[in-house]
Amino acid sequence: MRTVLVTGTGGAGRTTVAAATALAAAREGRRALLLTADRDGTPEALLGIPAPRPATATSAERLPWSPPVEAAPGMWAARIAADDWFRGELTSLQERGSGALDMLGATPLDPEELTGLPGTEAFAVLRALRAVHDVDPAAAGWDVLVVDMPPAPDTVAVLALPEQLRRYLRRLLPAERQAARALRPMLAQLAGVPMPAQKLYETAERWERELAAVQALIESEATTVRLVVDPGPLADRALRTARAGLALYGCRVEAVVANRLLPTGTADPWLAALSGQQQAALKELHGEWAPDVPVRELPHLGRDPLEANSPRDPDAPQDSAGRGGVPQAGGLAALVAPVGAPEPRPDRPAAEPWTVEDRLADEGELVWRLPLPGADRDALGLVRRGDELIVTVGPFHRVLPLPSALRRCTVSGAGLRDGRLHVRFAPDPELWPKGL
């Protein structure tokens, strides 16, 4: 399944572009599902569909979104039910840990009194990604998944969660401790009380499997990111930061969408000034991203996308109810970049690999090259911690396990050139194999 994550700067029209992307895929003859966590009804207004039915706690635990609604021929839309999913997950967790709760004398919480906590939406988005790919394609019938993500900084944090949480689990519940689980039933008999650790480790193993699967989806070649921006003075800096953060976590940007472009050549001085400002920012976008990443230009349609009387797209095929396309998003569907096939293609550049270059013969060093386009030298940080390298790029940081050869080396320097971080390692004489 092809997966497109749509994010960008705040207020740039991410939801509109996500809906247009799903519509474009449907018009290509591919069955598309649009997932959004938006709670204010914007997707429904854009697509001209009724509000989704709420999901129950039981169904949310299995499929953490509302029942999909057909918005146009070949396209469905659903809302991620973060609060309902949270209630279902916490209720299930209480049931699995009932023994430990009884030992502590705790009173379980009723589902009716549970409300979503800050951060719940991030976990629900990841669970939805996993759940969509778990659904039998023959039953669901989706070829393309388009996800309306939060603003770019929040999206980077969401996509970083699986790897970060897996690392926390490995530190808090190491595998060597799990290997001793066979002793716990005997210890429980000797102590005369049940051992709650068994359930704890079983839950940790389940989380590890889920997180590993989500991380594999995020890093897959079939998953790409589209960045939406309203060109302006601050757009270039915001996108640079987002680009560097996405690159740090191995997420590939397939297109930048410059949205709401005003017409040029107008005689109105006020409108001409705004248009000129946009065109200057657009020129910077092309210079920064092209030709590696295409910049798509979408015009301002001259109306609010949520207007009730927004005309429907007359060129779109009609469904059984006689509906032809959808307001606003339908007019942009023909202009957004087409959704490529899941397999690698020559016209779709693959993510640049993180490689170790052998310069031992000439310079006595190994160089680890980390592609970080958009990174700022002044906002870049490196810390060696045992067998790990902590890389900080602006507000984002990632803990990278060192390749085996580099663990026997010391860091001798680093430099940022042409969007690539080069970290130099010199062999440690006490650890490096003799004779090499």
Side-chain angles (χ1 to χ4, degrees):
M1 184 186 298
R2 184 75 167 81
T3 302
V4 181
L5 309 177
V6 181
T7 183
T9 55
R14 299 184 314 277
T15 302
T16 302
V17 172
T21 300
L23 277 171
R27 293 179 186 179
E28 292 173 350
R30 310 176 73 183
R31 298 158 299 181
L33 172 65
L34 171 67
L35 274 184
T36 178
D38 192 290
R39 304 188 186 196
D40 62 4
T42 300
E44 291 78 24
L46 283 170
L47 298 170
I49 59 177
R53 300 189 305 273
T56 64
T58 303
S59 64
E61 183 182 3
R62 180 169 47 89
L63 296 176
W65 59 75
S66 60
V69 176
E70 187 174 8
M75 178 200 165
W76 289 262
R79 180 183 293 164
I80 297 173
D83 289 346
D84 295 330
W85 170 82
F86 174 78
R87 282 192 289 269
E89 280 291 299
L90 191 54
T91 301
S92 177
L93 181 62
Q94 286 186 147
E95 293 173 354
R96 291 194 297 270
S98 58
L101 294 175
D102 291 341
M103 288 179 58
L104 297 174
T107 302
L109 297 169
D110 294 327
E112 294 76 13
E113 62 181 310
L114 296 175
T115 57
L117 300 176
T120 297
E121 186 174 299
F123 289 97
V125 169
L126 294 175
R127 182 67 185 94
L129 276 174
R130 166 79 164 138
V132 171
H133 285 264
D134 279 347
V135 175
D136 182 6
W142 298 313
D143 304 311
V144 176
L145 170 64
V146 180
V147 186
D148 176 22
M149 299 291 289
D154 297 331
T155 291
V156 176
V158 169
L159 299 180
L161 264 179
E163 183 180 80
Q164 292 174 341
L165 293 177
R166 292 180 70 195
R167 183 173 180 273
Y168 296 160
L169 284 175
R170 288 193 298 268
R171 292 291 299 275
L172 296 174
L173 300 171
E176 54 270 20
R177 293 185 183 177
Q178 298 186 42
R181 287 183 303 169
L183 298 176
R184 294 197 182 95
M186 181 174 60
L187 293 176
Q189 292 181 359
L190 294 175
V193 294
M195 301 292 287
Q198 176 72 17
K199 291 291 185 181
L200 177 63
Y201 279 101
E202 289 176 356
T203 301
E205 287 179 355
R206 183 175 67 91
W207 287 348
E208 165 63 25
R209 289 193 300 269
E210 292 290 330
L211 292 169
V214 174
Q215 186 177 346
L217 289 175
I218 293 172
E219 297 175 352
S220 168
E221 273 291 306
T223 300
T224 55
V225 178
R226 291 190 178 186
L227 286 172
V228 184
V229 61
D230 190 349
L234 302 179
D236 183 60
R237 175 177 294 183
L239 285 193
R240 273 176 164 267
T241 302
R243 186 182 191 183
L246 291 169
L248 181 63
Y249 286 97
C251 303
R252 184 167 57 85
V253 178
E254 68 163 15
V256 173
V257 181
N259 196 22
R260 300 173 182 160
L261 292 177
L262 299 171
T264 58
T266 177
D268 187 310
W270 181 80
L271 186 59
L274 291 179
S275 176
Q277 192 177 66
Q278 281 191 336
Q279 291 300 313
L282 187 62
K283 183 178 179 180
E284 291 185 5
L285 286 178
H286 280 281
E288 176 72 23
W289 294 84
D292 297 333
V293 178
V295 178
R296 306 287 179 175
E297 302 178 15
L298 300 185
H300 197 300
L301 298 185
R303 59 181 181 272
D304 191 300
L306 302 184
E307 288 180 1
N309 59 351
S310 293
R312 305 180 88 86
D313 182 6
D315 297 327
Q318 294 188 349
D319 59 14
S320 57
R323 297 179 302 173
V326 295
Q328 183 80 331
L332 298 177
L335 303 177
V336 298
V339 177
E343 65 273 7
R345 292 173 13 180
D347 61 336
R348 200 168 56 114
E352 185 177 350
W354 295 24
T355 57
V356 177
E357 183 180 354
D358 187 351
R359 297 184 185 176
L360 289 174
D362 298 331
E363 304 174 19
E365 292 180 332
L366 298 171
V367 180
W368 197 12
R369 292 187 300 183
L370 311 178
L372 294 175
D376 187 349
R377 189 187 309 271
D378 295 333
L380 193 62
L382 289 174
V383 175
R384 168 75 181 270
R385 181 185 178 279
D387 291 338
E388 298 174 327
L389 186 68
I390 304 174
V391 183
T392 300
V393 181
F396 314 112
H397 75 276
R398 184 179 183 183
V399 181
L400 298 171
L402 291 174
S404 57
L406 302 184
R407 296 174 187 175
R408 299 188 293 270
C409 301
T410 58
V411 178
S412 58
L416 182 66
R417 297 190 301 275
D418 300 325
R420 296 175 183 84
L421 175 63
H422 297 76
V423 187
R424 303 189 303 275
F425 291 82
D428 187 336
E430 296 183 1
L431 301 176
W432 196 256
K434 304 298 182 183
L436 295 181

